[in-house]
Amino acid sequence: MEQQSAVAALAALAHDARLGIFRLLVVAGNEGLGAGMIAERMEIPKATLSFHLKELNHAGLIESTRDGRSITYSMRPEGIRSLLEFLTRDCCQGRPELCALPTTDCCQ
Amino acid sequence: MEQQSAVAALAALAHDARLGIFRLLVVAGNEGLGAGMIAERMEIPKATLSFHLKELNHAGLIESTRDGRSITYSMRPEGIRSLLEFLTRDCCQGRPELCALPTTDCCQ
DNA sequence: TCCATATTTCCAGTATTATCGAATTATTGC
DNA sequence: GCAATAATTCGATAATACTGGAAATATGGA
């Protein structure tokens, strides 16, 4: 991942509502969630939600599929993974000890 | 790390100049770098640099120590580590497979 | 003390981002 | 085609962030 894409992804997550939406979609998993349901759970107006969803989408962190009348959003694993890779790689340059992240603990 | 702190850290890194500064400090390691040297390497005016350094500092990603006439900045390992932990933990909720980050590859 | 150096703070101008009601587009069922 | 439902785009306003020259602050040495 290039620095430019990393900045875009970081900016997309650097907002309370958007980070909340993203976390909601992580929990939702492959099923994803309809835009209406997200608006309801997050308690934000639909126009505002659309704005934030577009940001996350442009940054490659989520994706959407039309599902009849509604549109289902779900996280895009590759998006967050490449951001984490970028940050971790950066972190390692010259200071390998910083890479000792509890990724394994986290997954057991 | 709370969501609020995560948003602050993400926002701090979500800027081309600041991400560049942070990466510079990661490479610089424990020695750190003087503000003047950072300004020179990044080719940005000192007033602008101060602004960005303050942002990174407030987010807990870097720290400073006065060193005679100059001020030395260095990365704050705990800052980036706790951000990565937050993101990784989030990522694991319901989807453990996403945690398979190349942290070990990265460090060998 | 006075000067030179290093950096920050002030401040005003500019630019970008966020908010959300109203209008618009897309889809389904009758 | 028409009405109902779901979501997006438009557009105007508000809020926040960025930029950098000029002034202020801190330090060390003569």
Side-chain angles (χ1 to χ4, degrees), chain A residues 25-97:
Chain A
L25 293 180
V26 168
V27 174
N30 290 315
E31 307 292 296
L33 273 181
M37 180 61 81
I38 300 174
E40 194 180 314
R41 296 241 196 119
M42 296 294 301
E43 296 181 25
I44 46 183
K46 295 193 166 184
T48 305
L49 177 69
S50 269
F51 171 81
H52 291 312
L53 288 173
K54 186 158 48 166
E55 296 284 302
L56 287 165
N57 189 53
H58 281 165
L61 292 166
I62 66 174
E63 60 195 356
S64 65
T65 51
R66 182 169 273 282
D67 188 14
R69 231 171 309 204
S70 96
I71 294 178
T72 298
Y73 284 87
S74 51
M75 74 172 293
R76 206 175 142 267
E78 190 48 32
I80 187 69
R81 178 152 43 202
S82 53
L83 174 61
L84 285 168
E85 269 174 358
F86 178 89
L87 292 175
T88 306
R89 229 187 316 120
D90 257 30
C91 218
C92 285
Q93 292 186 332
R95 319 198 72 192
E97 74 280 10

Side-chain angles (χ1 to χ4, degrees), chain B residues 54-98:
Chain B
K54 186 158 48 167
E55 296 283 301
L56 288 165
N57 188 53
H58 282 167
L61 292 165
I62 65 174
E63 60 195 356
S64 65
T65 52
R66 182 170 274 280
D67 188 14
R69 234 172 308 204
S70 98
I71 294 178
T72 297
Y73 283 88
S74 50
M75 74 172 293
R76 205 174 143 266
E78 190 47 33
I80 186 69
R81 178 152 44 201
S82 53
L83 174 61
L84 285 167
E85 269 173 358
F86 178 89
L87 292 175
T88 306
R89 229 187 316 121
D90 258 28
C91 217
C92 286
Q93 291 185 333
R95 321 197 72 192
E97 75 279 12
L98 299 179

